[in-house]
Amino acid sequence: PCLSETPEARVLERAVLESRVREMEEENRQIRLQLSQLQGTGVDIRNSVDGIASLFSAQLIHVACVCAGHNASRDVVTLVKSILFHRKNPLHFHFITDAVANQILSSLFQSWMVPSVQVSFYDADELKSEVSWIPNKHYSGIYGLMKLTLTKALPSDLTKVIVLDTDITFATDIAELWAIFRKFTDKQVIGLVENQSDWYLGNLWKNHKPWPALGRGFNTGVILLYLERLRRIGWEQMWRLTAERELMSMLSTSLADQDIFNAFIKQNPVLVHQLPCFWNVQLSDHTRSEQCYTEVSDLKVIHWNSPKKLRVKNKHVEFFRNLYLTFLEYDGNLLRRELFGCPSRAVAIPGSDATPLEELDEDDQCYDFRRERITVHRVHLYFLQYEYTPTGDDTDVTLVAQLSMDRLQMLEAICKHWEGPISLALYMSDAEAQQFLRYAQASEVLKNRKNVGYHIVYKEGQFYPVNLVRNVALRNANTPYVFLADVDFLPMYGLYDYLRKSVVQLDMAHTKKALVVPAFETLRYRLSFPKSKAELLSMLDIGTLYTFRYHVWTKGHAPTNYAKWRTATTPYKVEWEADFEPYVVVKRDCPEYDQRFVGFGWNKVSHIMELDAQEYDLMVLPNAFMIHMPHAPSFDISKFRSSPGYRYCLQTLKEEFHQDLSRKYGAAALKYLTAQRNI
Amino acid sequence: PCLSETPEARVLERAVLESRVREMEEENRQIRLQLSQLQGTGVDIRNSVDGIASLFSAQLIHVACVCAGHNASRDVVTLVKSILFHRKNPLHFHFITDAVANQILSSLFQSWMVPSVQVSFYDADELKSEVSWIPNKHYSGIYGLMKLTLTKALPSDLTKVIVLDTDITFATDIAELWAIFRKFTDKQVIGLVENQSDWYLGNLWKNHKPWPALGRGFNTGVILLYLERLRRIGWEQMWRLTAERELMSMLSTSLADQDIFNAFIKQNPVLVHQLPCFWNVQLSDHTRSEQCYTEVSDLKVIHWNSPKKLRVKNKHVEFFRNLYLTFLEYDGNLLRRELFGCPSRAVAIPGSDATPLEELDEDDQCYDFRRERITVHRVHLYFLQYEYTPTGDDTDVTLVAQLSMDRLQMLEAICKHWEGPISLALYMSDAEAQQFLRYAQASEVLKNRKNVGYHIVYKEGQFYPVNLVRNVALRNANTPYVFLADVDFLPMYGLYDYLRKSVVQLDMAHTKKALVVPAFETLRYRLSFPKSKAELLSMLDIGTLYTFRYHVWTKGHAPTNYAKWRTATTPYKVEWEADFEPYVVVKRDCPEYDQRFVGFGWNKVSHIMELDAQEYDLMVLPNAFMIHMPHAPSFDISKFRSSPGYRYCLQTLKEEFHQDLSRKYGAAALKYLTAQRNI
């Protein structure tokens, strides 16, 4: 379909096309005539194409997917985005998951809140015994085999389901695929696309002996499963018998479920409905898929079934990659759009007592701030591989922090200064999350650390919801204690061990304490980081270091009492004062940050105030320190500085926070109001 | 199309649907039977839907658009993206442009390099006389009226064209719209969608007297123009006569071309082919479009024809906005995909003597660097409003710099320090460019400056192509002299005036000079910026300021001879030395930066070396200075520091640069090689 080279060719081509089109139009007109009899029943059938689409648009489409681990959970999101992008129907996703994928995907969908999308989870562990007896060599491991168990795993009243691998990308409306169930003959129970490699022909190399298959065999990346009929014919028995028989000679499966499906089909060819090749264009290493897609002007489903994934060599790989990247970096918030004709339900915000959107006053000067507070941000927990078990002695401490793209370069340094577990929330767009992924995968320091939990909070709205992001990091710390830090600080070497010892020493388990880690700062990019408190003190004396915000906002850390700290050898208690915002170690079940504070201002101050209201003792650690590294001011600070509106709203929010404190903690909380007024 | 509420309703609904689908399938089967006769002619007709699509896929589709000014040029890109996203056909865009839009769009398409897309430009100024006699009150001004002149403006052998306003978004393949030309009866010459407001009914307010129209009238945001037939019936005469006659009583048009089209149609109703409403869903203020789109499951074209644009109040505006935002922020590079079946032509890179991609050795250790050099980055010049005429005395100087998102906060400060013209190249993704737009539109400082040219260079590849970005800023400076700066520096107050005087004083016009502006740095975020050289010197003495990179890379600026500068009162000449990288003022036609240097390292050094090779005199200005403001290290520096491969390739590139210098400048250039080896 490109520009014809000569005018003659163009004229001829057009004449041929025109005559064909006229013929086809005539035929279509006939259909439309017949269809017009259907009109008046409320369904609008404009022509055959629209007609079919609108007839199906009321149907709920079921999609099943086996998904285990961190990487597959990331992949499946791109699949889901590509489906949501084109869909016009309500959808029900059925995920067979391990514990990791369950946690990630359930929190993701809960916060994604896509209208007309249901999600169900099924425990893969419970299905393991069904397939664990099958020896398997494929990289998908035991999870690939679980596709065999779907008649059992999915609800018994579910009649039909589309089963997809996680490495699939949709380039069209999934309703078109669902519609193919209608073309099944009465006997057919399973719809598949032919395999696009020579694997099952058994001639790839000497002594290559694949499982039995019909011709080239079928690929199981995209399956239409007619569950109702499969149950009726006794599928569960049948595939087992097939597998057992073949395993006597084959010893193990090479391609997991696909070998068993193929052996089964070879014996029962009438049960299969062959799908057109474009429903599963297989980009495997030695694919023959080109014979399929060069013939069709529109590709419907791409299957990245090479272990090389996006790096597979293929003449058209750039084309496929672009389709894939479209969804990989697509802003998932845009998929929250309503389906037309569906009444939108008021959305309840989990765990929030904020005013619902309808009740907000659009003319309120601080409308934008209030709106921000009730915005639900999509959250993808554990975006990267994570494996960590807290130390068994109940003293473990997680460093908790939040950041956005402009602080990414701090991560390696923090990892070098803190060997313990870290819980990081990253405020990013979908595209930035992919940039971060590439960065982390390329970093020797980061990729060797498995005890860092990276949680993506997707961007939305005009403010930086700093306390919401902090809470995501806090909630997902897995140790009894948390060190509430900021990403632009480097902890002293050995702080992790020292904090764990202090937890014991100060009996944190049975008291209500917040351990203060004194904060310092350097204005120099190239700091030779002090190895000890003594070294730090001498750097303070010569002016290489300062106490944190000494020049601009002394009050934030003055109560730490740096003078006393210089000579202290044991922890000492300090009293709360207005605007105190130290970095503290507390129990993980401490109060959360107040999410009404967005952007710059009062985000940590309000948290420390609430700790004090709950009667935490503030204990300064004599041998702990952390140093702030220099960076350019953030956007939100400049916004704050230049806008009187911003300052006014921050003041309003502060007052409301005070009122809430009094309501929660009674008369004792009045001191915060007084302290505030005295400033 | 949502989840049915009760199981009973679901069963009933399904039964009804199933019977309808069976009927329709039967009908389709009949069509397919008939179509099968067509097979064997090489055209693959799988079913009626695919058949029609593939028949049209060879056709070249023509699209015309009137576009003037900076804002419309930004808008039209989103329209074009939405068309390219869905298209499967070769396209030819015809843009009627003023000089501004011509420059922006022609450079954009040249660098975009979308396969199977042709672009032609037509000068709107030449068409002005055709319509300037028509008094018009519509916000589109004289450009709206130009749609009337397309039979004359477009090539005389162009038979059909789709005419679009810039505030249109496509949600489907434009080939479907093009196909409607086939449905025109022999008499019909123009295809339009009915107007979706009550405007032409003339009852909007008291004494509201619209132009004559057929019923509700037609909207001209989307027009199918059958040019060939229009020419045949004498359209040019006809619309003029209509306009002249109506203007006798109406005095002026209210809705520009739309009034005249409607008056014309009222007189000649047989000439119009009414398009289904979903081809132009009008989101104007009091639209009745909901009556259209709630009936169709798929919207095809959205028209943002309210002056409020995206802020229009509408029940479904979130839905429409999401569709629009999809393309607004869509990575335009992904639209470079080939159409299937089109032979890809080797792409010549404008103005580059680099090796073509095919000739690169994939196993070369520096493949990624070399590949970067031949990557063509999409460029959108003058992204924001720009109006500036250089001073008439031929002394004008433009500050030239480049940046990415992480330095955006420098822009306001630079604007406060430099009142003259600025040419900035911004390295960004499509989404970031929109973020930047919002930032600039919200900034009081930036939005009042019209002499800053913002040029977006779209991100691609893994390196920061710093010299390519610098060259875009340099090439688009419009004054005889340029001040080649960096975005993290603040010029001293008054530098603009001082430089213009120095240009005269040093007779820059008739000599080959590079004026050096001495560079200093502060490590403090809150600097009280020195008001004079005297103040600067005393800040140097007390250590509040340093000479630039004094601590880490003295050589970069050592030849400036800061000791001499302290007491200098007249410009003095300095000699080039290895690794010298001062900030200089030169004639605009200076050599460009060498684009092989990407990321960190040697990007300015190589440029100064080439100035020296061309025998520029390096003259230090005694009363000029600039100060580097602190910021966190960039990503590319960290990459450089951690990777031996990066360092190796930089070394290789340096050597190749030296060889090229020798080739270009002969034996004299050998001194650079020697200087290099001595280090």
Side-chain angles (χ1 to χ4, degrees):
Chain A
C2 38
L3 309 177
S4 302
E5 297 310 326
T6 68
E8 294 78 24
R10 224 179 291 168
V11 170
L12 184 63
E13 192 180 64
R14 187 190 294 171
V16 172
L17 286 170
E18 279 180 345
S19 88
R20 276 187 204 141
V21 168
R22 268 193 294 275
E23 282 182 49
M24 302 223 351
E25 277 182 352
E26 179 51 33
E27 284 152 11
N28 266 318
R29 208 168 291 143
Q30 284 176 19
I31 286 202
R32 250 175 273 127
L33 209 73
Q34 293 167 322
L35 287 178
S36 67
Q37 299 161 1
L38 286 176
Q39 282 178 339
T41 59
V43 180
D44 178 38
I45 296 166
R46 208 157 275 106
N47 59 43
S48 61
V49 187
D50 281 358
I52 289 173
S54 77
L55 281 172
F56 280 108
S57 70
Q59 289 209 355
L60 175 62
I61 295 173
H62 293 271
V63 179
C65 206
V66 181
C67 179
H70 299 89
N71 296 339
S73 297
R74 256 195 341 264
D75 292 342
V76 86
V77 176
T78 307
L79 163 62
V80 168
K81 281 174 165 181
S82 76
I83 294 174
L84 292 179
F85 183 86
H86 299 100
R87 66 106 179 214
K88 300 190 187 80
N89 292 52
L91 298 173
H92 191 150
F93 289 100
H94 302 265
F95 293 113
I96 321 294
T97 51
D98 65 350
V100 166
N102 185 323
Q103 185 186 13
I104 295 172
L105 295 178
S106 62
S107 56
L108 175 69
F109 277 96
Q110 210 184 339
S111 57
W112 201 344
M113 304 198 305
V114 188
S116 305
V117 166
Q118 293 175 50
V119 188
S120 301
F121 292 92
Y122 309 88
D123 188 353
D125 290 337
E126 288 177 13
L127 297 170
K128 273 191 178 162
S129 61
E130 306 279 331
V131 289
S132 55
W133 56 275
I134 306 168
N136 172 34
K137 288 179 185 158
H138 192 247
Y139 66 84
S140 62
I142 193 167
Y143 295 103
L145 291 166
M146 288 185 189
K147 277 186 269 176
L148 294 163
T149 71
L150 290 174
T151 45
K152 189 165 182 180
L154 298 178
S156 59
D157 61 345
L158 191 62
T159 57
K160 298 192 285 279
V161 70
I162 295 174
V163 186
L164 302 172
D165 279 358
T166 55
D167 51 0
I168 290 279
T169 307
F170 268 75
T172 194
D173 188 346
I174 195 169
E176 292 182 46
L177 179 57
W178 186 256
I180 296 180
F181 272 121
R182 310 285 171 168
K183 298 192 179 166
F184 277 35
T185 63
D186 292 344
K187 286 235 158 46
Q188 293 173 341
V189 298
I190 181 168
L192 290 164
V193 170
E194 192 182 42
N195 217 10
Q196 288 160 12
S197 84
D198 285 351
W199 176 273
Y200 285 109
L201 299 180
N203 52 11
L204 289 189
W205 53 79
K206 215 183 147 195
N207 297 329
H208 168 223
K209 187 161 175 281
W211 277 52
L214 211 57
R216 209 176 273 291
F218 292 92
N219 184 282
T220 58
V222 175
I223 315 178
L224 297 191
L225 268 194
Y226 214 127
L227 295 169
E228 193 178 47
R229 294 182 184 171
L230 281 165
R231 289 189 202 100
R232 214 185 303 138
I233 63 166
W235 158 255
E236 236 183 284
Q237 283 291 323
M238 290 171 83
W239 75 256
R240 263 166 223 279
L241 289 173
T242 303
E244 280 165 12
R245 189 181 47 245
E246 296 301 332
L247 280 168
M248 285 193 284
S249 61
M250 296 302 300
L251 304 177
S252 74
T253 62
S254 297
L255 303 180
D257 63 296
Q258 188 165 308
D259 285 337
I260 297 172
F261 272 109
N262 273 298
F264 172 83
I265 287 166
K266 171 127 197 185
Q267 284 190 296
N268 307 279
V270 294
L271 299 180
V272 75
H273 179 96
Q274 184 169 341
L275 302 174
C277 62
F278 48 71
W279 284 111
N280 182 348
V281 175
Q282 299 147 43
L283 303 181
S284 46
D285 279 345
H286 303 285
T287 181
R288 297 167 159 274
S289 57
E290 204 181 325
Q291 292 173 0
C292 167
Y293 61 74
T294 52
E295 286 172 25
V296 288
S297 67
D298 75 3
L299 278 160
K300 297 183 186 293
V301 169
I302 302 166
H303 187 183
W304 300 91
N305 62 335
S306 156
K308 294 194 194 114
K309 300 298 172 194
L310 259 65
R311 279 187 302 279
V312 68
K313 296 220 176 187
N314 176 302
K315 218 165 83 182
H316 298 103
V317 74
E318 287 286 343
F319 176 89
F320 297 120
R321 215 176 337 216
N322 281 357
L323 272 180
Y324 176 79
L325 292 176
T326 293
F327 301 111
L328 187 71
E329 310 207 334
Y330 189 78
D331 179 353
N333 299 338
L334 298 179
L335 297 166
R336 284 171 165 170
R337 58 187 179 218
E338 296 278 339
L339 299 186
F340 272 100
C342 280
S344 75
R345 279 168 233 157
V347 173
I349 295 140
S352 158
D353 54 356
T355 327
L357 184 57
E358 310 77 88
E359 289 177 29
L360 286 187
D361 175 7
E362 282 198 44
D363 299 323
D364 180 346
Q365 213 190 321
C366 304
Y367 173 80
D368 288 339
F369 284 79
R370 296 185 200 285
R371 194 181 161 140
E372 184 60 41
R373 196 185 167 195
I374 60 171
T375 300
V376 179
H377 292 264
R378 203 163 23 110
V379 174
H380 189 133
L381 301 178
Y382 299 103
F383 196 65
L384 307 185
Q385 206 70 34
Y386 176 80
E387 279 159 39
Y388 185 70
T389 312
T391 59
D393 57 0
D394 281 340
T395 64
D396 211 352
V397 185
T398 300
L399 187 152
V400 171
Q402 63 79 29
L403 69 156
S404 54
M405 284 307 278
D406 57 344
R407 298 287 180 271
L408 226 48
Q409 76 282 354
M410 286 298 296
L411 293 187
E412 291 194 354
I414 290 177
C415 282
K416 286 177 188 161
H417 281 247
W418 177 272
E419 63 275 31
I422 303 179
S423 177
L424 289 173
L426 302 100
Y427 192 58
M428 295 180 165
S429 67
D430 293 70
E432 287 170 342
Q434 294 303 322
Q435 252 182 284
F436 160 67
L437 177 63
R438 287 189 292 270
Y439 174 75
Q441 286 172 338
S443 158
E444 290 298 324
V445 178
L446 301 188
K447 77 181 174 200
N448 293 324
R449 284 286 286 261
K450 295 278 176 269
N451 63 348
V452 183
Y454 297 96
H455 314 296
I456 311 284
V457 179
Y458 287 102
K459 276 188 184 171
E460 187 167 14
Q462 55 171 317
F463 297 109
Y464 194 117
V466 55
N467 277 358
L468 180 144
V469 184
R470 281 207 180 97
N471 284 337
V472 169
L474 172 55
R475 271 199 294 272
N476 292 286
N478 302 318
T479 54
Y481 303 97
V482 286
F483 170 32
L484 304 176
D486 264 344
V487 78
D488 39 12
F489 278 86
L490 291 182
M492 69 174 201
Y493 293 108
L495 185 62
Y496 175 57
D497 283 338
Y498 176 65
L499 291 183
R500 288 181 53 207
K501 279 181 199 135
S502 303
V503 157
V504 178
Q505 196 195 340
L506 288 157
D507 192 23
M508 291 280 281
H510 308 100
T511 55
K512 218 166 176 182
K513 291 201 183 81
L515 310 185
V516 175
V517 176
F520 299 85
E521 77 181 321
T522 174
L523 299 175
R524 307 186 178 197
Y525 284 105
R526 299 181 172 225
L527 179 77
S528 140
F529 202 92
K531 299 274 182 302
S532 63
K533 180 173 177 178
E535 205 178 316
L536 174 107
L537 291 177
S538 71
M539 287 169 82
L540 270 178
D541 292 338
I542 59 170
T544 314
L545 290 178
Y546 302 96
T547 61
F548 183 52
R549 296 213 172 158
Y550 177 76
H551 298 91
V552 290
W553 184 243
T554 320
K555 291 196 306 174
H557 291 262
T560 298
N561 196 346
Y562 288 102
K564 181 164 181 179
W565 185 80
R566 292 185 76 104
T567 55
T569 54
T570 54
Y572 57 92
K573 195 178 162 195
V574 295
E575 292 303 317
W576 176 88
E577 290 176 31
D579 292 318
F580 192 28
E581 48 177 4
Y583 296 96
V584 295
V585 178
V586 287
K587 277 194 201 131
R588 192 177 70 126
D589 64 355
C590 71
E592 297 204 338
Y593 290 87
D594 192 290
Q595 297 187 185
R596 89 186 81 202
F597 297 105
V598 291
F600 173 81
W602 253 56
N603 44 66
K604 284 188 299 276
V605 167
S606 56
H607 188 243
I608 295 294
M609 200 178 281
E610 189 145 5
L611 290 183
D612 184 61
Q614 292 199 7
E615 301 180 331
Y616 278 68
D617 281 341
L618 295 163
M619 304 292 297
V620 180
L621 294 174
N623 291 310
F625 62 85
M626 60 200 290
I627 302 179
H628 182 264
M629 306 308 286
H631 57 76
S634 76
F635 262 136
D636 283 290
I637 288 190
S638 11
K639 208 185 266 171
F640 171 74
R641 283 189 187 136
S642 61
S643 155
Y646 195 108
R647 282 193 295 262
Y648 165 81
C649 291
L650 183 54
Q651 191 54 43
T652 308
L653 296 178
K654 280 183 193 177
E655 282 161 20
E656 291 172 6
F657 175 71
H658 278 132
Q659 285 160 18
D660 290 350
L661 271 193
S662 307
R663 216 168 293 145
K664 246 162 114 180
Y665 302 106
L670 282 174
K671 79 170 184 187
Y672 306 113
L673 201 54
T674 322
Q676 176 68 12
R677 287 202 178 125
N678 289 342
I679 294 167
Chain B
C2 39
L3 309 176
S4 302
E5 297 310 326
T6 66
E8 293 77 23
R10 221 178 291 167
V11 170
L12 185 64
E13 193 179 65
R14 186 189 293 167
V16 173
L17 286 168
E18 280 180 344
S19 88
R20 274 187 206 140
V21 169
R22 268 192 295 275
E23 283 182 48
M24 302 220 357
E25 278 181 349
E26 180 50 31
E27 284 152 11
N28 265 319
R29 208 167 292 142
Q30 286 176 18
I31 286 200
R32 248 172 276 129
L33 208 73
Q34 294 168 322
L35 288 178
S36 66
Q37 299 162 0
L38 286 176
Q39 282 179 337
T41 58
V43 180
D44 178 36
I45 297 166
R46 210 157 274 105
N47 58 45
S48 60
V49 187
D50 280 0
I52 289 173
S54 76
L55 281 171
F56 280 108
S57 70
Q59 290 210 352
L60 175 62
I61 294 173
H62 293 272
V63 179
C65 206
V66 181
C67 179
H70 300 89
N71 296 339
S73 297
R74 255 192 343 262
D75 292 343
V76 86
V77 176
T78 307
L79 163 63
V80 167
K81 281 176 168 182
S82 77
I83 294 174
L84 292 179
F85 184 85
H86 299 101
R87 66 105 180 214
K88 300 188 188 82
N89 292 52
L91 298 174
H92 190 151
F93 289 100
H94 302 265
F95 292 112
I96 321 294
T97 51
D98 65 352
V100 166
N102 185 322
Q103 185 186 15
I104 296 172
L105 295 178
S106 63
S107 55
L108 176 68
F109 276 97
Q110 210 184 339
S111 57
W112 201 343
M113 304 199 304
V114 189
S116 304
V117 166
Q118 294 174 50
V119 188
S120 300
F121 292 93
Y122 308 87
D123 189 353
D125 290 337
E126 289 177 13
L127 296 171
K128 272 191 179 162
S129 61
E130 306 278 332
V131 289
S132 56
W133 56 275
I134 306 168
N136 171 33
K137 289 177 183 160
H138 192 246
Y139 66 84
S140 63
I142 193 167
Y143 296 102
L145 291 165
M146 287 185 188
K147 276 186 271 174
L148 294 163
T149 70
L150 290 174
T151 46
K152 189 164 182 181
L154 298 178
S156 59
D157 62 345
L158 191 61
T159 56
K160 296 191 286 282
V161 70
I162 295 173
V163 186
L164 301 173
D165 280 356
T166 55
D167 52 0
I168 291 281
T169 308
F170 268 75
T172 194
D173 188 347
I174 196 169
E176 289 182 48
L177 179 57
W178 185 255
I180 296 181
F181 272 121
R182 310 287 171 168
K183 296 191 179 167
F184 277 35
T185 63
D186 292 346
K187 286 236 157 45
Q188 294 173 340
V189 297
I190 180 167
L192 291 163
V193 170
E194 191 182 42
N195 216 10
Q196 288 160 13
S197 83
D198 285 351
W199 176 273
Y200 285 108
L201 299 181
N203 52 11
L204 288 189
W205 54 79
K206 221 184 141 189
N207 298 328
H208 169 220
K209 188 160 175 284
W211 278 50
L214 210 58
R216 209 176 273 290
F218 292 92
N219 184 283
T220 57
V222 175
I223 315 178
L224 296 191
L225 270 193
Y226 215 127
L227 296 169
E228 192 178 48
R229 294 183 185 171
L230 281 165
R231 289 189 201 99
R232 214 187 302 139
I233 63 167
W235 157 255
E236 238 184 283
Q237 283 291 323
M238 290 171 85
W239 75 257
R240 263 166 222 280
L241 290 172
T242 303
E244 281 163 12
R245 188 181 48 243
E246 296 301 331
L247 280 168
M248 286 192 285
S249 61
M250 296 302 299
L251 305 177
S252 74
T253 62
S254 299
L255 303 181
D257 64 296
Q258 188 165 306
D259 285 337
I260 298 172
F261 272 109
N262 273 298
F264 172 83
I265 287 167
K266 173 127 194 183
Q267 285 191 296
N268 307 282
V270 294
L271 300 181
V272 74
H273 179 96
Q274 184 169 341
L275 303 174
C277 63
F278 47 72
W279 284 110
N280 181 349
V281 174
Q282 299 148 41
L283 302 182
S284 47
D285 280 345
H286 303 286
T287 181
R288 296 168 161 275
S289 58
E290 204 181 326
Q291 292 174 359
C292 166
Y293 63 75
T294 52
E295 286 171 27
V296 290
S297 67
D298 83 357
L299 278 158
K300 297 184 185 292
V301 170
I302 302 167
H303 186 183
W304 299 91
N305 61 334
S306 157
K308 295 195 194 113
K309 301 297 174 194
L310 259 63
R311 279 186 302 279
V312 69
K313 295 220 176 186
N314 177 302
K315 220 167 79 182
H316 298 103
V317 72
E318 286 286 343
F319 175 88
F320 297 120
R321 216 175 336 213
N322 281 357
L323 272 179
Y324 176 79
L325 292 176
T326 293
F327 300 111
L328 187 72
E329 311 207 331
Y330 190 79
D331 179 353
N333 299 338
L334 299 180
L335 297 166
R336 284 172 166 170
R337 57 185 180 220
E338 296 278 341
L339 298 187
F340 271 99
C342 280
S344 73
R345 280 168 231 157
V347 174
I349 296 141
S352 158
D353 54 356
T355 326
L357 184 57
E358 312 74 274
E359 288 177 29
L360 287 188
D361 176 6
E362 281 197 46
D363 299 324
D364 180 347
Q365 213 189 323
C366 303
Y367 173 80
D368 288 337
F369 283 80
R370 298 186 197 284
R371 190 176 168 145
E372 184 59 41
R373 195 184 167 193
I374 60 171
T375 299
V376 179
H377 292 263
R378 202 161 25 107
V379 175
H380 189 134
L381 301 179
Y382 299 104
F383 196 65
L384 306 186
Q385 207 69 35
Y386 175 80
E387 281 158 38
Y388 184 70
T389 313
T391 58
D393 57 1
D394 281 341
T395 64
D396 211 351
V397 185
T398 300
L399 187 153
V400 170
Q402 63 77 30
L403 69 156
S404 55
M405 284 306 277
D406 57 344
R407 298 286 181 269
L408 225 47
Q409 75 282 353
M410 285 300 295
L411 293 186
E412 291 194 353
I414 289 177
C415 283
K416 286 175 187 162
H417 281 247
W418 177 272
E419 62 275 31
I422 302 178
S423 178
L424 289 174
L426 301 101
Y427 191 59
M428 294 180 167
S429 68
D430 292 70
E432 286 170 343
Q434 294 304 321
Q435 252 181 284
F436 160 67
L437 177 63
R438 287 189 293 271
Y439 173 75
Q441 286 172 338
S443 158
E444 289 300 323
V445 178
L446 302 188
K447 78 182 172 198
N448 293 324
R449 284 286 287 260
K450 297 276 176 267
N451 63 350
V452 183
Y454 297 96
H455 314 295
I456 311 284
V457 179
Y458 287 102
K459 276 186 184 172
E460 189 167 10
Q462 55 171 317
F463 296 110
Y464 194 116
V466 56
N467 277 359
L468 181 145
V469 184
R470 280 206 180 97
N471 283 337
V472 169
L474 172 56
R475 271 198 296 271
N476 291 285
N478 302 318
T479 53
Y481 303 97
V482 286
F483 170 33
L484 304 176
D486 263 344
V487 78
D488 40 12
F489 277 86
L490 291 182
M492 70 174 200
Y493 292 109
L495 184 62
Y496 175 56
D497 284 339
Y498 177 65
L499 290 184
R500 288 181 51 208
K501 279 180 199 135
S502 303
V503 156
V504 179
Q505 195 196 339
L506 289 159
D507 192 23
M508 291 281 281
H510 308 101
T511 55
K512 216 166 177 180
K513 290 200 183 82
L515 311 185
V516 175
V517 176
F520 298 85
E521 79 180 320
T522 173
L523 299 176
R524 303 184 182 201
Y525 284 103
R526 300 179 171 227
L527 180 77
S528 141
F529 201 93
K531 300 273 181 301
S532 63
K533 180 173 177 178
E535 205 178 316
L536 174 107
L537 292 176
S538 71
M539 287 168 83
L540 271 177
D541 291 337
I542 60 171
T544 313
L545 290 178
Y546 303 96
T547 60
F548 184 53
R549 297 213 173 158
Y550 177 77
H551 298 91
V552 292
W553 183 244
T554 319
K555 290 197 304 173
H557 291 262
T560 298
N561 195 346
Y562 289 100
K564 181 163 183 179
W565 186 80
R566 293 185 76 104
T567 55
T569 54
T570 53
Y572 57 92
K573 193 175 164 199
V574 294
E575 292 303 319
W576 177 87
E577 290 176 31
D579 292 318
F580 192 28
E581 46 177 5
Y583 296 97
V584 296
V585 178
V586 287
K587 278 196 200 127
R588 193 177 69 125
D589 63 356
C590 71
E592 297 204 339
Y593 290 87
D594 193 289
Q595 298 187 182
R596 89 186 80 202
F597 296 105
V598 292
F600 172 82
W602 254 55
N603 44 66
K604 285 188 298 277
V605 168
S606 56
H607 188 244
I608 295 294
M609 200 179 279
E610 188 144 6
L611 290 184
D612 185 61
Q614 293 198 6
E615 299 180 334
Y616 277 66
D617 280 341
L618 294 163
M619 304 292 295
V620 180
L621 293 173
N623 292 310
F625 62 86
M626 61 201 289
I627 303 180
H628 181 264
M629 306 309 284
H631 57 74
S634 76
F635 263 137
D636 283 290
I637 288 190
S638 8
K639 208 185 266 171
F640 171 74
R641 284 190 186 136
S642 61
S643 154
Y646 194 110
R647 283 192 296 263
Y648 166 82
C649 291
L650 182 55
Q651 191 52 43
T652 308
L653 295 177
K654 279 184 194 177
E655 282 161 19
E656 291 172 7
F657 175 73
H658 278 131
Q659 286 160 18
D660 290 350
L661 271 192
S662 308
R663 216 168 293 145
K664 244 161 116 182
Y665 302 106
L670 283 175
K671 80 170 182 187
Y672 306 113
L673 202 54
T674 322
Q676 177 67 12
R677 286 204 179 123
N678 290 342
I679 294 167

